[in-house]
Amino acid sequence: MFRAIVHQTLAVVALAMGCLATQRWEVAVSAFIGGTCIVLPNLLFAIRLSANRGGSSDSYPTVFFVGELVKLLATIGLMAIAAVYVVWLVWPAMIAGIVLAANAPWLVPMLIRQKAGNGR
């Protein structure tokens, strides 16, 4: 669970650093903000699920679905806050950060396995 969040964080930081190396700082920060809108609610959701790990198995589905709802609302809220308060936001970069962070939990392990397989 936390490994996926590490993958998301690393992918977003790599994207932001790549943008910083090739584009203006606004592009890099916009990509980082977009990724953070996904990573932060996922981190809080993972912490909440791990806190419930020793609890009753009957309450786990409720905790999971309520946590998913809160995560979704927090993601939308963070994106809305960024849209309203960051006036220099570069939308394509922000969307790239969102898409990369959302896909990183399956994309990063796939790329790591592929690279390890090519080295044989």
Side-chain angles (χ1 to χ4, degrees):
M1 182 168 21
F2 288 104
R3 183 177 291 177
I5 294 166
V6 169
H7 289 161
Q8 286 178 321
T9 304
L10 291 175
V12 168
V13 168
L15 176 65
M17 289 297 143
C19 289
L20 188 60
T22 60
Q23 303 290 321
R24 301 182 328 261
W25 67 270
E26 293 95 345
V27 175
V29 174
S30 296
F32 186 77
I33 288 171
T36 303
C37 289
I38 300 294
V39 173
L40 229 97
N42 283 346
L43 175 63
L44 296 175
F45 180 57
I47 290 170
R48 177 64 182 113
L49 284 181
S50 65
N52 194 51
R53 191 174 274 171
S56 167
S57 61
D58 294 339
S59 68
Y60 193 77
T62 304
V63 169
F64 179 81
F65 287 115
V66 169
E68 275 291 332
L69 177 65
V70 170
K71 182 178 86 167
L72 179 65
L73 293 175
T75 300
I76 293 169
L78 287 172
M79 287 189 277
I81 289 170
V84 170
Y85 290 108
V86 183
V87 295
W88 44 261
L89 193 67
V90 179
W91 282 96
M94 181 178 172
I95 293 170
I98 290 168
V99 169
L100 182 65
N103 291 315
W106 66 268
L107 186 64
V108 172
M110 182 180 70
L111 293 175
I112 291 171
R113 263 188 250 118
Q114 183 180 6
K115 185 176 180 182
N118 289 339
R120 290 183 184 174

